[in-house]
Amino acid sequence: MKLIVRADDYGYTKTHNDGTIEAIENGIVTAVDIMFDTPGTIDGLERIKDYPWISIGWHSHFWGAPILDPSLIPSMVNEEGKFKFRKDQKLKAECVYDEVYAECKAQMELCIKYLGKVPDVATIQDNGTEFERARKQICEEYGIVYNFFSKPDYEGNLIEAREEYKDLNIYMPNQPATVYKVCYSDEYSKRSEYSPVNYYTQDQGDLLSKEITLTAWHPGYLDYYVMSESRLGEARVTDVKALCSEELKCWIVDKKVELINTRDALYNTNEYQNHLRSIQSDLLIK
């Protein structure tokens, strides 16, 4: 089985980025999804250039503040000038196409300025909104691959990859519904049950039966901004520890799991394995 390990919320803050980088350098992270609207965006873009074997995704939540002047995109922001979707993603349906297009274009130009290129991939929600139509247009104009994996929705129905990527058989299990839900409990004893290591070693997502699996976590360290914005809290630090754990690395070796990045999956390259070879890692597939 080939495994992509994605770190979501990269770019949250510099402190959060520190945890993501820890999981890249000493763990098994092979891809990141970066946010372009949060305090750590530029720090994240500048630092990830040192890790060319990591593929880059465009994080789609829009939780922070726009790059453009809020007065130019009134349908997207609240009275504080921040994106209005932090607690209700359905509000994206109220957005005007031209405003979303302009903001997304500004985000891609920021990425080019600091990273030298646009993200490799993105996920577009097929919900008929002008918001997602504008994002799709940006992906097509900048050559960003989108909707390349299949996954179940929250009702268990399979959302299939775009036709041109179905033969790749990239599968993403519905981890938020099966793993992260314990982090939202008011009972600390429930939250303490959260274990990314067990998710893999007990094969809770039936990963070993798949050709290529994409799993997503949120490894990062905490500061006041992250703690005040996110319900995941300490789960982020747990993710750093888990993705760096020797137990998980031993499972990868024992099960002959081949770690790859997203570009490897799309283009049949060996970037991540070549990186493991260059550092003489025991995780290199034999």
Side-chain angles (χ1 to χ4, degrees), residues 23-41:
I24 289 173
E25 290 190 340
N26 299 311
I28 62 168
V29 166
T30 68
V32 298
D33 260 20
I34 186 165
M35 299 191 285
F36 293 104
D37 56 346
T38 41
T41 296

Side-chain angles (χ1 to χ4, degrees), residues 30-95:
T30 68
V32 298
D33 260 20
I34 186 165
M35 299 191 285
F36 293 104
D37 56 346
T38 41
T41 296
I42 293 175
D43 172 77
L45 288 171
E46 291 181 329
R47 294 169 73 180
I48 203 66
K49 288 189 292 187
D50 293 334
Y51 306 90
W53 56 89
I54 299 295
S55 55
I56 313 294
W58 181 9
H59 195 282
S60 62
H61 289 326
F62 290 70
W63 282 351
I67 293 174
L68 295 178
D69 188 314
S71 66
L72 299 175
I73 51 171
S75 71
M76 300 181 71
V77 297
N78 57 25
E79 56 277 4
E80 298 175 349
K82 294 184 177 181
F83 288 127
K84 62 184 183 181
F85 325 117
R86 183 65 183 87
K87 294 184 179 180
D88 187 358
Q89 292 283 302
K90 293 179 181 178
L91 293 176
K92 289 178 177 177
E94 301 176 358
C95 294

Side-chain angles (χ1 to χ4, degrees), residues 7 50 61 69 104 123 167 211 234 251 261:
D50 293 334
H61 289 326
D69 188 314
C104 290
T123 302
D167 289 344
E211 287 186 48
E234 65 267 28
W251 175 83
N261 67 27

Side-chain angles (χ1 to χ4, degrees), residues 215-265:
T215 52
W217 306 96
H218 299 77
Y221 293 145
L222 304 178
D223 55 19
Y224 180 78
Y225 184 89
V226 176
M227 288 295 289
S228 64
E229 289 276 321
S230 173
R231 295 174 64 194
L232 287 176
E234 65 267 28
R236 297 176 181 275
V237 181
T238 300
D239 283 358
V240 176
K241 180 180 179 181
L243 296 175
C244 295
S245 74
E246 289 303 314
E247 182 180 358
L248 184 49
K249 291 176 183 177
C250 287
W251 175 83
I252 289 170
V253 173
D254 180 60
K255 298 299 182 182
K256 295 181 172 57
V257 172
E258 181 177 352
L259 292 172
I260 63 174
N261 67 27
T262 311
R263 292 188 299 267
D264 292 334

Side-chain angles (χ1 to χ4, degrees), residues 103-154:
E103 170 63 22
C104 290
K105 187 176 182 67
Q107 292 189 11
M108 293 305 100
E109 292 301 319
L110 181 77
C111 190
I112 292 171
K113 178 179 179 180
Y114 288 98
L115 185 61
K117 61 179 183 177
V118 295
D120 302 298
V121 296
T123 302
I124 305 296
Q125 300 295 324
D126 187 18
N127 56 15
T129 63
E130 295 295 273
F131 190 98
E132 293 299 278
R133 188 168 74 87
R135 291 189 66 236
K136 179 180 177 181
Q137 182 64 31
I138 289 291
C139 286
E140 292 180 347
E141 289 183 9
Y142 282 89
I144 301 169
V145 173
Y146 62 93
N147 296 11
F148 56 93
F149 57 83
S150 301
K151 68 173 295 183
D153 62 19
Y154 290 107

